[in-house]
């Protein structure tokens, strides 16, 4: 009876919620239909146009070129415009001077924070902490919306398995399951539970699709893959973001299967609309439409019509829609329904954001003082940064450092502020972060000295440095000879008990258009490390990077390595927290680190092949391997050390056989066996032993981050059902297939316990 009451209550709630949604939808439809009926063709095309902010300077909005276009109804939104003052001024032109007074939307690349910068996305993904990641997005949304922004070009959910690709920094790594969880968390963080609030902003999932699979890791390069790989390994995070309610999605620059994503009907209509039921709008990436001329699909008029027909709604920057669709309509190449449909989706987005009710709702000048760059936000940024660091090696427990040790802090990144922030710090103040040098000095106060010497430039090649900084701040290059620089470092090392070497990549060595074919430490830095080793002093390598690096030599020769990525505004403090043991590192890699570039692409969830290597061996003739390097990664997916250690019990399964309608309980006991309290991410993998298509040797299916005091044990449970064992078969049907499965549980993809079970019909 009680049960029945619950069901009735539940059904009532669902019915009420649905009814409310229907009323809201009906209201929105009526509003948008009415508006559409008043719009001229030019005004409709105007809504599809998303220019950059261009020449707007404070106080000049109305007279700028963009201002003129807005007045004529030729602009749907603007991006990369910063400050409430400017945003208010251009919105005023739209509301007071354009015929239909349709508000603009304002977008920006708020990627890993607004003014409070968080670690780059790849770093954040190594926290494996969904609440934390969601909260970074929530804070970013609050700060951005307090500064006039209502739309962010984030999350980037492109799966990437090639660390040569600079944009690997912007995503969540190589795994579809982890990537999907993060995609959801980010969308929820930005959009909250109500997009019409003034502190939530619309997410834009990007770059749809398969942008991370660019051949040879070269940005914007061709992508080609089987549908089976797409559906099983690359599409899930986009789908997860769509299911989480993302309001918009960005089509990518690359081609897929011979057709640029921006004109790809299969992706934009068949998959996105028909299969996933996406209700938001599609915006191109930058000049994505114009670039299809270079792809070889026709002139601007042709490619613009292809994009519209395939399912693009809004044209970023290129103005192909604005300048050519009218002609294409006249020629019968496109239909007015296609234009109406795109326009409708953009108006709906504005409606959902509440802009028709109050076009200035994100322009409250009072909010900034109490909501942007607050102490609480900075505190959280410090926590997030520390949780993203991955301890890669810690021989003889060299870390944590004692606070009374004299440290020689050396390296080109030891005294840098701006490189803390990471690749997309569009709204940040680059003077705000503390350098590691300052943060370490603050941490030990006056107890003991932290001695500093730069010791090396980022690279021995000034032309390389110039290419890296084309778009940003020039390198702070020291033009004295290498010998002098190294000598200075050796002098401070001589006086110290331990050397901390802050090395790696500057923020701009990853990110857009920052692919590298050699992902090792630049020679100048290696030379410094080699000289430092000769002192015989213990060395801690603090590695700044936006991608996995090939650091086999460093792994073999340096006793302690901690990867700190580009950790955001509070990175300096967070690194000091971890180096001195106030925080125990707990990050786990979300991408495989190769031994060398030749192994790329290397990822944990590869297939077995017909000629796998026998376990324990690293070479056998006529097997799938190399003559000169083992198949092993340098660091596996899921790997990351702690100052403490954890042991895992054997796995216990609730059953050895489950039916397709049953659940399997998987239990392990994890114990903190070391001397520090610490967090561990317990990972669950499976392998489908026999199937109608080949399946990966391991596949992440769950994880739980637990905190254990030293000596403490915890039981961790995972539940698997047949639904969780599904995959896309060769007909692209999402199915499970009965048979034998292996389950693996452990603290890294290459260090697990295992058991088997059978799935029967
Ligand atoms: C990037 C996008 C970004 C857009 C707008 C493009 O070049 O690929 O990720 O959102 O610019 O800044």
């Amino acid at each position: 009876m009680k049960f029945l009451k619950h069901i009735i209550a539940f059904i009532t709630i669902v019915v009420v919620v649905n009814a409310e949604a229907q009323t809201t939808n009906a209201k929105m439809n009526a509003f948008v239909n009415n508006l559409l009926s008043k719009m001229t063709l030019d005004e409709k095309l105007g809504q599809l146009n998303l220019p950059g902010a261009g020449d707007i300077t404070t106080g000049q909005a109305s007279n700028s070129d963009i201002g003129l276009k807005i007045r004529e109804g030729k602009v749907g939104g603007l991006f990369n415009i910063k400050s409430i003052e400017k945003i208010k001024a251009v919105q005023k032109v739209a509301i007071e001077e354009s015929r239909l007074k349709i508000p603009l939307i304002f977008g920006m690349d708020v990627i890993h924070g607004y003014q409070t910068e968080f670690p780059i996305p790849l770093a954040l993904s190594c926290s494996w902490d969904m609440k934390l990641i969601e909260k970074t997005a929530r804070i970013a949304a609050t700060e951005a919306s307090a500064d006039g922004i209502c739309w962010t070009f984030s999350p980037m959910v492109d799966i990437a398995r090639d660390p040569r690709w600079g944009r690997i920094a912007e995503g969540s790594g190589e795994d579809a399951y982890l990537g999907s969880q993060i995609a959801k968390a980010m969308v929820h963080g930005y959009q909250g539970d109500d997009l019409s609030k003034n502190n939530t902003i619309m997410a834009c999932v990007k770059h749809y699709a398969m942008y991370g699979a660019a051949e040879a890791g070269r940005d914007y390069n061709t992508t080609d893959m089987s549908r089976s790989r797409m559906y099983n390994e690359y599409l899930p995070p986009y789908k997860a973001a769509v299911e989480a309610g993302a309001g918009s999605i960005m089509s990518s620059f690359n081609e897929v299967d011979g057709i640029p994503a921006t004109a790809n009907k299969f992706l934009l209509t068949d998959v996105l609309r028909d299969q996933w039921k996406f209700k938001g709008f599609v915006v191109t990436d930058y000049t994505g439409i114009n670039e299809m001329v270079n792809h070889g699909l026709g002139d601007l008029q042709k490619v613009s019509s292809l994009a519209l027909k395939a399912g693009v709604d809004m044209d970023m920057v290129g103005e192909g829609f604005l300048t050519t669709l009218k002609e294409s309509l006249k020629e019968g190449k496109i239909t007015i329904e296609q234009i109406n449909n795109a326009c409708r989706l953009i108006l709906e987005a504005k409606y959902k954001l509440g802009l028709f009710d109050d076009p200035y709702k994100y322009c409250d000048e009072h909010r900034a003082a109490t909501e942007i760059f607050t102490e609480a936000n900075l505190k959280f940024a410090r926590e997030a940064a520390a949780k993203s660091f991955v301890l890669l090696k810690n021989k003889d427990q060299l870390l944590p450092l004692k606070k009374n040790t004299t440290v020689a802090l050396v390296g080109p990144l030891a005294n840098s502020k701006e490189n803390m922030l990471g690749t997309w710090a569009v709204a940040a103040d680059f003077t705000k972060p503390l350098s590691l040098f300052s943060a370490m000095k603050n941490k030990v106060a006056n107890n003991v000295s932290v001695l500093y010497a730069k010791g090396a430039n980022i690279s021995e090649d000034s032309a390389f440095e110039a290419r890296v900084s084309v778009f940003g701040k020039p390198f702070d290059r020291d033009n004295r000879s290498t010998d002098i620089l190294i000598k200075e470092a050796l002098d401070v090392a001589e006086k110290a008990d331990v050397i901390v070497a802050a090395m790696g990549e500057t923020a701009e060595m990853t990110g857009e258009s920052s692919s590298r074919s050699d992902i090792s430490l630049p020679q100048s830095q290696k030379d410094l490390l080699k000289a430092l080793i000769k002192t015989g002093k213990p060395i801690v390598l603090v590695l700044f990077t936006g991608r996995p690096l090939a650091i086999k030599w460093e792994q073999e020769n340096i006793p302690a390595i901690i990867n700190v990525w580009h950790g955001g505004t509070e990175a300096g403090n967070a690194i000091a927290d971890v180096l001195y043991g106030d925080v125990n590192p707990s990050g786990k890699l979300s991408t495989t680190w190769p031994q060398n570039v030749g192994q790329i692409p290397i990822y944990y969830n590869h297939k077995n092949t017909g000629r796998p290597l026998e376990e324990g061996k690293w070479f056998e003739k006529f097997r799938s391997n190399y003559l000169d390097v083992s198949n092993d990664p340098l660091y596996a997916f899921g790997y990351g050390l702690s100052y403490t250690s954890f042991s895992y019990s054997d796995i216990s399964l609730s059953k050895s056989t489950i039916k397709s309608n049953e659940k399997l309980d998987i239990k392990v006991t994890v114990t903190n066996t070391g001397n520090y309290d610490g967090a561990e991410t317990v990972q669950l993998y499976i392998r489908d032993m026999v199937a109608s298509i080949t399946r990966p040797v391991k596949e992440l299916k769950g994880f739980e981050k637990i905190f254990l005091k030293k000596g403490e044990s915890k039981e961790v449970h995972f539940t698997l059902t047949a639904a969780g064992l599904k995959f896309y078969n060769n007909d692209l049907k999402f199915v499970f297939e009965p048979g034998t499965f292996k389950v693996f549980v452990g603290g890294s993809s290459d260090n697990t316990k295992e058991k088997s079970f059978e799935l029967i019909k």
Side-chain angles (χ1 to χ4, degrees):
M1 193 57 192
K2 215 172 173 190
F3 180 65
L4 201 65
K5 265 191 197 158
H6 280 310
I7 294 207
I8 292 169
F10 177 72
I11 293 174
T12 316
I13 291 169
V14 173
V15 170
V16 170
V17 170
N18 275 343
E20 271 173 19
Q22 271 173 19
T23 324
T24 317
N25 274 345
K27 267 194 196 158
M28 178 173 78
N29 291 344
F31 179 88
V32 171
N33 283 340
N34 180 37
L35 186 52
L36 267 171
S37 71
K38 294 182 189 150
M39 292 172 81
T40 63
L41 176 60
D42 286 326
E43 283 165 337
K44 288 175 185 169
L45 295 179
Q47 286 303 306
L48 318 190
N49 190 29
L50 178 73
D55 61 337
I56 301 164
T57 48
T58 307
Q60 291 296 315
S62 186
N63 301 326
S64 61
D65 287 349
I66 292 285
L68 294 177
K69 276 191 182 156
I70 296 171
R71 192 171 296 122
E72 290 166 8
K74 289 184 174 164
V75 176
L78 282 180
F79 79 100
N80 286 354
I81 172 168
K82 187 174 178 298
S83 93
I84 285 198
E85 208 185 345
K86 287 188 203 169
I87 289 176
K88 228 176 169 175
V90 281
Q91 190 70 298
K92 200 159 174 260
V93 179
I95 298 302
E96 293 181 8
E97 301 179 41
S98 76
R99 191 179 78 92
L100 288 173
K101 309 181 186 333
I102 301 175
L104 303 166
I105 42 170
F106 297 95
M108 191 183 264
D109 289 284
V110 180
I111 309 289
H112 47 99
Y114 187 66
Q115 281 185 31
T116 305
E117 290 295 341
F118 297 105
I120 54 168
L122 184 62
L124 272 181
S125 69
C126 295
S127 71
W128 296 57
D129 184 336
M130 298 309 114
K131 285 209 175 95
L132 179 115
I133 292 174
E134 180 170 336
K135 191 164 166 193
T136 63
R138 182 84 295 280
I139 290 174
T142 303
E143 290 198 359
S145 62
D147 215 14
I149 301 298
C150 56
W151 183 30
T152 177
F153 304 134
S154 176
M156 173 178 129
V157 303
D158 306 323
I159 294 292
R161 293 166 166 180
D162 192 330
R164 291 172 297 183
W165 190 52
R167 301 200 80 170
I168 198 170
E170 299 175 48
S172 297
E174 72 190 28
D175 184 67
Y177 180 84
L178 179 61
S180 299
Q181 304 303 313
I182 294 176
K184 278 192 263 180
M186 297 284 288
V187 171
H188 288 146
Y190 289 132
Q191 299 195 162
D193 50 11
D194 181 356
L195 207 47
S196 73
K197 284 189 182 155
N198 73 350
N199 67 354
T200 53
I201 62 179
M202 184 174 284
C204 183
V205 186
K206 69 188 190 186
H207 306 83
Y208 186 69
M210 272 72 75
Y211 181 43
E215 281 177 7
R218 183 156 57 79
D219 207 1
Y220 318 123
N221 202 7
T222 306
T223 293
D224 204 355
M225 68 172 69
S226 67
R227 295 267 156 115
S228 156
R229 170 164 276 183
M230 262 183 218
Y231 272 76
N232 285 307
E233 301 167 37
Y234 279 79
L235 290 178
Y238 306 104
K239 182 168 186 269
V242 165
E243 284 169 0
S248 64
I249 195 162
M250 185 186 289
S251 65
S252 54
F253 290 128
N254 57 287
E255 67 170 78
V256 175
D257 214 354
I259 305 198
T262 301
N264 200 310
K265 178 181 165 291
F266 163 72
L267 289 176
L268 298 178
T269 299
D270 303 356
V271 176
L272 189 61
R273 300 281 177 200
D274 298 346
Q275 293 172 24
W276 298 352
K277 314 287 174 215
F278 177 60
K279 299 279 183 284
F281 71 93
V282 177
V283 62
T284 67
D285 194 357
Y286 221 78
T287 41
I289 292 180
N290 312 56
E291 290 172 30
M292 293 196 288
V293 176
N294 286 340
H295 275 287
L297 259 58
D299 61 13
L300 186 60
Q301 184 183 338
K302 174 80 188 293
V303 295
S304 302
S305 67
L306 288 176
L308 182 79
K309 284 194 288 189
V312 167
D313 305 304
M314 192 174 225
D315 175 6
M316 189 194 284
V317 174
E319 305 213 326
F321 274 6
L322 191 73
T323 56
T324 71
L325 287 188
K326 207 171 179 180
E327 190 57 30
S328 295
L329 183 65
K330 222 189 274 166
E331 291 170 9
K333 303 268 165 53
I334 55 169
T335 63
I336 188 67
E337 285 72 35
Q338 286 160 343
I339 294 174
N340 283 345
N341 191 43
C343 186
R344 172 191 301 282
L345 291 169
I346 290 156
L347 296 175
E348 282 181 6
K350 294 179 178 184
Y351 185 95
K352 289 177 199 157
L353 283 164
L355 287 168
F356 286 108
D357 288 335
D358 178 5
Y360 304 105
K361 59 183 288 200
Y362 301 95
C363 294
D364 174 352
E365 284 100 348
H366 305 297
R367 282 183 59 197
T370 51
E371 296 185 32
I372 297 182
F373 213 70
T374 62
E375 244 170 65
N377 292 358
L378 290 170
K379 189 164 170 252
F380 191 68
R382 185 167 177 164
E383 181 188 333
K387 286 188 171 156
S388 76
F389 302 160
V390 185
L391 182 64
L392 297 172
K393 183 178 176 187
N394 196 18
K395 193 168 169 234
D396 302 330
Q397 300 273 304
L398 177 55
L399 285 174
L401 302 173
K402 294 189 184 60
K403 285 186 183 147
N404 59 4
T405 321
T406 305
V407 173
L409 176 64
V410 299
L413 293 166
N415 200 16
S416 158
K417 290 164 178 262
E418 61 273 9
N419 285 303
M420 296 294 182
L421 290 178
T423 178
W424 267 119
V426 186
D429 178 343
F430 280 69
T431 63
K432 288 288 196 271
L434 282 184
S435 69
L436 179 55
F437 184 33
S438 305
M440 285 177 74
K441 279 190 296 186
N442 288 350
K443 175 71 79 180
V444 293
N446 297 322
N447 291 347
V448 62
S449 25
V450 178
L451 310 168
Y452 164 73
K454 184 167 180 179
N457 283 309
I458 281 287
S459 156
E460 63 293 350
D461 180 356
S462 56
F464 170 79
E465 289 190 357
R467 283 192 293 276
V468 171
S469 59
V470 160
F471 202 60
K473 191 172 167 284
F475 276 69
D476 184 15
R477 201 174 166 78
D478 191 324
N479 286 320
R480 289 176 300 159
S481 75
T482 312
D483 289 348
I484 294 181
L485 291 176
I486 292 185
K487 168 89 179 31
E488 270 184 8
L490 293 176
D491 286 348
V492 296
E494 211 47 57
K495 297 182 192 120
D497 306 314
V498 59
I499 299 166
V500 173
M503 297 188 170
E505 296 189 309
T506 63
E508 288 173 55
M509 280 164 75
T510 45
E512 187 168 354
S513 187
S514 296
S515 296
R516 294 177 67 199
S517 69
D518 176 358
I519 56 166
S520 52
L521 274 189
Q523 197 56 45
S524 56
Q525 302 190 42
K526 263 196 196 150
D527 290 344
L528 174 60
L529 268 186
K530 283 184 179 155
L532 291 168
I533 284 178
K534 289 199 190 126
T535 64
K537 305 254 164 136
I539 303 178
V540 177
L541 175 58
V542 176
L543 200 59
F544 290 79
T545 178
R547 54 158 62 82
L549 294 175
I551 51 162
K552 187 170 183 209
W553 179 87
E554 290 79 357
Q555 165 65 21
E556 283 165 359
N557 292 283
I558 308 293
I561 308 176
I562 179 146
N563 183 38
V564 298
W565 309 104
H566 299 124
T569 315
E570 283 294 310
N573 284 325
I575 300 169
D577 288 343
V578 170
L579 287 181
Y580 285 107
D582 292 341
V583 175
N584 187 355
S586 60
K588 301 271 189 180
L589 296 175
S590 60
T591 45
T592 304
W593 286 42
Q595 296 188 62
N596 65 28
V597 173
Q599 288 184 309
I600 297 169
I602 176 169
Y603 45 93
Y604 85 97
N605 46 353
H606 59 85
K607 303 290 183 67
N608 202 34
T609 80
R611 293 190 174 198
L613 203 56
E614 233 177 80
E615 235 186 282
K617 295 202 174 156
W618 86 254
F619 177 79
E620 262 185 295
K621 195 68 185 166
F622 306 118
R623 296 269 136 190
S624 179
N625 46 218
Y626 302 99
L627 287 171
D628 54 355
V629 65
S630 75
N631 287 351
D632 298 329
L634 186 63
Y635 308 117
F637 175 85
Y639 171 79
L641 302 171
S642 160
Y643 293 154
T644 192
S645 49
F646 300 98
S647 76
Y648 283 71
S649 71
D650 284 338
I651 299 173
S652 113
L653 300 180
S654 56
K655 293 176 178 175
S656 55
T657 301
I658 59 161
K659 291 194 193 130
S660 56
N661 59 355
E662 288 178 341
K663 287 180 179 163
L664 177 70
D665 180 71
I666 301 153
K667 182 179 87 181
V668 287
T669 304
V670 184
T671 306
N672 181 340
T673 49
N675 292 321
Y676 296 83
D677 301 343
E680 167 74 337
T681 299
V682 184
Q683 302 155 40
L684 169 76
Y685 299 88
I686 61 143
R687 178 168 175 190
D688 189 345
M689 298 305 290
V690 178
S692 59
I693 63 168
T694 60
R695 305 292 301 128
V697 296
K698 258 182 195 157
E699 226 185 321
L700 186 70
K701 283 290 169 183
F703 56 87
E704 194 177 326
K705 193 165 182 175
I706 55 170
F707 183 82
L708 292 176
K709 293 203 162 297
K710 65 177 173 181
E712 195 189 351
S713 294
K714 232 177 222 169
E715 259 183 22
V716 177
H717 291 262
F718 295 102
T719 306
L720 269 181
T721 60
L725 300 170
K726 283 185 172 179
F727 60 92
Y728 289 92
N729 68 13
N730 243 11
D731 300 321
L732 301 180
K733 296 247 157 57
F734 198 47
V735 296
F736 60 83
E737 293 179 2
T740 306
F741 288 80
K742 275 190 181 170
V743 220
F744 312 84
V745 180
S748 165
S749 66
D750 68 347
N751 185 12
T752 52
K753 304 269 180 162
E754 67 177 78
K755 263 245 156 100
S756 296
F757 72 93
E758 298 289 319
L759 174 69
I760 54 172
K761 276 236 173 230

